[in-house]
């Protein structure tokens, strides 16, 4: 006869840790890093946490909110104290580094570049960030920092406030576009086909393309990002918000 096994009391089994939003988000980030954002689902997360999907909805309303929370967790990697490389070099040579520290434009460019690079590293998250709306502490710290730097321009309060949304949207869209291209094996072929079409365009029917051809596709990604940034900031600081007139109500 086979030996009879004694039953194991459930009370003697190791207790599972209590669920928490922080633990759920940390686990979701780990799954994303290992397997990609498409694997970060409620069902996959519940399996990893050894619980039922219904238990997760107490802490996270849906997958969209979960992805937003993952995005917010990764925003903790953004260097909010980043200094533009040119500013850092100038500071090293300058007798008074305080002047370089006061270059809000260079610091703002550096923070937005850091934000963009964080999304570059996670192409699926960059695409998700176009619609995901983080609301955690890391997002609030990023907005606070960008607001503070842009306010140093002396622009009216409304332009600063609307400008932050524009800058973050542009950085997010840039990251989504370029990170997707970087991880797409056909992106070079697509780009080459676009360049070829522009070069072969008939100058008679497309005179504007012909006259701008030499610079239409020129410039590095870094140069274009820097130029886009300057165009946006110049527009933000120089364009009144509708309904506010030209009244100066600067932050600071």
């Amino acid at each position: 006869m086979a030996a009879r096994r004694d039953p194991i009391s459930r009370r003697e089994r190791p207790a599972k840790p209590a669920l928490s939003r922080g633990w759920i988000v940390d686990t979701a980030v780990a799954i994303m890093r290992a397997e990609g954002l498409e694997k970060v689902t409620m069902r996959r997360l519940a399996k990893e946490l050894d619980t039922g999907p219904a238990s997760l909805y107490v802490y996270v309303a849906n997958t969209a909110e979960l992805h937003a929370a993952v995005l917010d967790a990764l925003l903790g990697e953004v260097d909010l104290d980043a200094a533009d490389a040119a500013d850092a070099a100038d500071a090293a040579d300058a007798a008074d580094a305080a002047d370089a520290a006061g270059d809000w434009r260079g610091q703002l460019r550096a923070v937005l570049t850091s934000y963009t690079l964080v999304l570059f590293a996670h192409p699926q998250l960059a695409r998700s960030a176009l619609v995901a709306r983080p609301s955690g502490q890391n997002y609030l710290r990023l907005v606070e920092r960008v607001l503070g730097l842009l306010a140093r321009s002396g622009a009216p309060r409304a332009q600063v406030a609307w400008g932050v949304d524009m800058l973050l949207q542009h950085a997010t869209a840039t990251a989504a576009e370029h990170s997707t291209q970087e991880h797409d094996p056909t992106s070079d072929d697509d780009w080459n086909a676009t360049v070829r079409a522009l070069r072969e365009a008939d100058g008679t029917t497309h005179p504007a393309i012909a006259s701008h051809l030499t610079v239409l596709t020129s410039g590095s990604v870094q140069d274009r990002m820097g130029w886009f940034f300057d165009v946006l900031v110049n527009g933000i600081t120089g364009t009144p918000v509708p309904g506010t007139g030209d009244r100066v109500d600067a932050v600071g």
Side-chain angles (χ1 to χ4, degrees):
M1 293 179 60
R4 183 177 178 180
R5 298 179 60 185
D6 293 331
I8 299 176
S9 171
R10 301 183 78 179
R11 295 187 179 184
E12 295 177 1
R13 296 175 184 173
K16 292 188 296 185
L19 282 175
S20 68
R21 183 180 173 88
W23 186 29
I24 290 171
V25 173
D26 288 345
T27 303
V29 171
I31 293 173
M32 188 207 68
R33 292 186 187 279
E35 304 175 27
L37 187 65
E38 74 277 3
K39 298 296 184 181
V40 183
T41 64
M42 291 300 211
R43 186 175 297 277
R44 174 70 178 85
L45 192 55
K47 181 179 179 181
E48 189 71 21
L49 295 170
D50 191 23
T51 190
S55 300
L56 302 181
Y57 290 103
V58 176
Y59 303 92
V60 184
N62 48 47
T63 302
E65 182 178 318
L66 178 62
H67 287 181
V70 169
L71 173 59
D72 186 76
L74 289 175
L75 291 183
E77 299 176 6
V78 177
D79 185 359
L80 299 181
D81 297 318
D84 186 69
D87 299 334
D90 290 343
D93 297 332
D96 187 0
D99 290 339
D103 182 6
W104 62 268
R105 192 180 286 260
Q107 292 176 42
L108 181 55
R109 182 188 294 111
V111 170
L112 292 172
T113 298
S114 178
Y115 169 71
T116 306
L117 291 176
V118 167
L119 293 183
F120 268 14
H122 307 284
Q124 294 170 317
L125 191 62
R127 293 193 296 271
S128 177
L130 291 172
V131 293
R133 292 292 181 180
S135 57
Q137 290 302 309
N138 290 324
Y139 171 73
L140 294 178
R141 281 191 283 268
L142 174 62
V143 172
E144 176 71 19
R145 179 60 169 159
V146 175
L147 273 172
L149 288 171
L150 189 55
R152 293 186 194 176
S153 68
R157 190 184 305 270
Q159 289 167 223
V160 170
W162 284 26
V164 169
D165 186 46
M166 177 178 289
L167 288 171
L168 292 179
Q169 281 190 20
H170 173 74
T172 302
T174 298
E177 177 188 3
H178 289 287
S179 61
T180 299
Q181 291 174 350
E182 184 176 339
H183 291 78
D184 182 356
T186 66
S187 63
D188 286 343
D189 292 338
D190 292 342
W191 175 246
N192 290 336
T194 298
V195 173
R196 185 165 57 252
L198 291 171
R199 289 176 176 171
E200 294 175 355
D202 188 334
T204 302
T205 56
H206 303 288
I209 291 178
S211 64
H212 295 85
L213 185 59
T214 57
V215 291
L216 195 59
T217 58
S218 66
S220 66
V221 172
Q222 292 78 8
D223 288 341
R224 283 179 173 254
M225 282 180 59
W227 185 80
F228 292 160
F229 165 84
D230 287 335
V231 169
L232 286 175
V233 171
N234 290 339
I236 289 167
T237 57
T239 307
V241 168
T244 62
D246 294 326
R247 180 173 57 87
V248 175
D249 185 20
V251 177

